[in-house]
């Protein structure tokens, strides 16, 4: 894989550096609900400060605001970063998406961001699949380098695109089926088993266009309706009562999946096995999270829901790499070009 040049090789002493981080964190009532992405952004900022940058200006989007909207202000994130780094040379700009030029990759907004900066560091792995002013436009105006997080993400996820140790087990689930088929198409062929749960399983059962077989649930936790307190029972898949929904994989499937995961030497997991936000339909996702964490295979987990499931179980440090990217990780593994990466000169 083509690797962009690294901030470690940039001459930053006495220079003004603009950094694009992915500080798009979930907020709840104006507070930061999960600071994983903030913490992941710190090492690059620290490096720049330690290497005597004159000024470090951080920019990011947060959420999908339509114009200026105080609900999407980066102020809580700014405060948290100041607490973590405590340095007067650090500045955090307001949400880039408050400017309508951001998502249009408008040259005028890119020039505004580049203005009075000497170089640009792209560290927002979660956003490099977007060709926006703060990810691509500005990188065309200033000498651009990859930050430490971006670099590490490309290395870790990139391992799955190269030679891997076998058995290679791919686990896929969740609701956004369209987003994940590309990864199955690109990686599934070299996997020894492809385990599929969630909504994805239903679609593949009806019509599997993939050129290989997938392991589908043989039993499901069936619910009478899509509700947290619905009537529910475990049934073999082909005995799902008319009008009922499979909201989780069943215990026999859990055992099958756990056996595959237990034998793996390489694992990629993206997407929950059921509606894990509801405790009665969370067992399958929990089992996958635990089996992946227990394994000593090279394991990579991507996507916000799988990350959340791991974190809620306190298992986030038990996998080889937990990606901060959702869509970006998937597009990379689909073999697609990431515009925010290709715009950076090669190392
Ligand atoms: C994400 O959370 O997926 C990234 O920060 C990108 O956000 P977006 O999907 O709104 O562009
Ligand atoms: Mg997204």
């Amino acid at each position: 894989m083509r690797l962009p040049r690294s901030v470690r090789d940039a001459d930053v002493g006495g220079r003004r550096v603009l950094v694009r981080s992915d500080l798009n964190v979930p907020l709840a009532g104006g507070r930061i609900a999960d600071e994983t992405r903030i913490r992941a952004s710190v090492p690059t900022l620290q490096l720049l400060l330690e290497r005597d940058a004159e000024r470090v200006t951080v920019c990011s989007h947060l959420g999908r605001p339509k114009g200026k909207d105080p609900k999407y202000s980066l102020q809580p994130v700014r405060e948290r970063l100041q607490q973590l780094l405590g340095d007067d040379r650090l500045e955090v700009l307001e949400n880039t998406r408050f400017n309508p030029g951001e998502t249009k990759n408008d040259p005028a907004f890119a020039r505004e961001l580049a203005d009075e900066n000497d170089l640009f560091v792209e560290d927002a792995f979660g956003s490099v699949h977007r060709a926006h002013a703060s990810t691509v436009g500005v990188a065309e105006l200033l000498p651009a380098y990859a930050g430490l997080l971006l670099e590490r993400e490309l290395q870790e996820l990139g391992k799955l695109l190269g030679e891997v140790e076998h058995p290679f087990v791919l686990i896929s689930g969740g609701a956004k089926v369209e987003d994940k088929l590309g990864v199955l198409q690109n990686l599934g062929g070299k996997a020894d088993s492809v385990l599929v749960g969630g909504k994805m399983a239903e679609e593949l059962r009806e019509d599997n266009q993939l050129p290989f077989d997938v392991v589908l649930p043989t039993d499901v936790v069936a619910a009478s309706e899509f509700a947290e307190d619905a009537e529910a029972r475990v049934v073999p898949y082909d005995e799902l009562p008319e009008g009922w929904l499979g909201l989780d994989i069943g215990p026999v499937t859990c055992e099958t999946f756990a056996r595959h995961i237990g034998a793996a030497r390489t694992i990629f997991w993206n997407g929950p096995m059921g509606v894990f936000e509801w405790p009665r339909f969370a067992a399958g996702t929990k089992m996958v999270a635990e089996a992946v964490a227990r394994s000593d295979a090279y394991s990579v987990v991507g996507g916000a829901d799988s990350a959340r499931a791991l974190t809620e179980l306190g298992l986030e440090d038990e996998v080889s790499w937990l990606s901060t990217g959702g869509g970006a990780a998937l597009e990379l593994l689909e073999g697609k070009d990431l515009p925010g990466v290709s715009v950076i000169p090669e190392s």
Side-chain angles (χ1 to χ4, degrees):
M1 194 175 53
R2 177 193 174 280
L3 288 178
R5 66 184 180 185
S6 167
V7 64
R8 283 174 289 117
D9 301 320
D11 187 7
V12 303
R15 326 258 313 263
R16 299 161 302 178
V17 186
L18 177 72
V19 182
R20 174 57 157 99
S21 300
D22 192 328
L23 303 173
N24 180 24
V25 294
L27 296 178
R31 298 186 140 201
I32 299 160
D34 174 26
E35 62 176 30
T36 308
R37 280 179 166 176
I38 299 178
R39 290 188 168 276
S41 304
V42 164
T44 294
L45 304 177
Q46 222 152 19
L47 176 104
L48 292 167
L49 294 167
E50 275 164 22
R51 294 199 178 170
D52 298 320
E54 182 187 312
R55 197 185 65 206
V56 177
T57 305
V58 189
C59 66
S60 175
H61 77 284
L62 191 150
R64 292 176 176 178
K66 292 178 182 54
K68 231 176 169 163
D69 179 344
K71 278 203 302 290
Y72 294 93
S73 170
L74 270 169
Q75 183 57 26
V77 176
R78 175 184 292 137
E79 286 166 16
R80 186 66 186 124
L81 266 182
Q82 293 289 11
Q83 262 174 9
L84 289 168
L85 286 157
D87 196 302
D88 292 342
R89 290 171 297 158
L90 184 77
E91 276 179 38
V92 182
L93 300 181
E94 193 41 284
N95 194 340
T96 50
R97 286 189 186 168
F98 285 179
N99 188 313
E102 164 71 331
T103 53
K104 293 187 201 119
N105 191 10
D106 171 28
F109 183 48
R111 272 197 301 277
E112 198 181 302
L113 289 169
D115 194 32
E116 300 195 17
N117 283 298
D118 303 308
L119 47 106
F120 174 65
V121 175
E122 173 60 88
D123 207 25
F125 175 68
S127 306
V128 287
H129 58 317
R130 308 281 182 224
H132 291 173
S134 70
T135 56
V136 169
V138 77
E140 286 167 337
L141 299 173
L142 294 172
Y145 295 84
L148 302 176
L149 174 65
L150 172 59
E151 210 178 11
R152 184 83 195 275
E153 290 271 12
L154 296 175
Q155 277 161 3
E156 299 294 343
L157 289 160
K159 286 181 195 165
L160 298 176
L161 294 171
E163 287 285 319
V164 297
E165 254 191 85
H166 291 271
F168 176 19
V169 176
L170 210 66
I171 314 151
S172 193
K176 296 182 191 163
V177 178
E178 284 310 308
D179 294 359
K180 287 158 198 166
L181 274 178
V183 177
L184 290 188
Q185 261 144 9
N186 197 36
L187 283 185
K190 77 173 178 194
D192 299 282
S193 30
V194 178
L195 316 177
V196 182
K199 194 162 173 198
M200 184 100 191
E202 283 166 43
E203 300 217 0
L204 290 182
R205 197 186 303 272
E206 300 212 329
D207 179 23
N208 179 6
Q209 304 260 11
L210 298 165
F212 48 83
D213 288 331
V214 296
V215 184
L216 294 171
T218 51
D219 59 343
V220 294
V221 182
S224 57
E225 56 176 325
F226 191 79
E228 186 167 7
D229 58 355
E231 192 190 332
R233 60 173 184 265
V234 173
V235 297
Y237 179 77
D238 45 17
E239 288 169 29
L240 190 68
E242 183 67 34
W244 283 46
L245 305 158
L247 296 190
D248 194 10
I249 58 175
V252 176
T253 306
C254 278
E255 261 176 58
T256 311
F257 282 16
R259 208 168 45 243
H260 283 277
I261 297 168
R265 295 303 309 145
T266 307
I267 299 170
F268 176 65
W269 173 33
N270 179 287
M273 297 294 107
V275 189
F276 77 106
E277 303 90 312
W278 296 339
R280 292 163 69 226
F281 308 106
T285 303
K286 209 173 143 193
M287 180 284 304
V288 167
E290 283 164 351
V292 173
R294 205 180 310 121
S295 160
D296 56 11
Y298 177 69
S299 54
V300 180
V301 179
D305 288 327
S306 317
R308 182 174 149 201
L310 267 181
T311 310
E312 280 176 4
L313 293 165
L315 297 172
E316 67 275 27
D317 295 329
E318 305 298 320
V319 296
S320 309
W321 186 248
L322 178 54
S323 179
T324 53
L330 292 175
E331 291 196 22
L332 174 75
L333 295 177
E334 269 178 63
K336 283 195 188 158
D337 175 62
L338 300 171
V341 176
S342 355
V343 71
I344 307 170
E346 210 165 335
S347 61

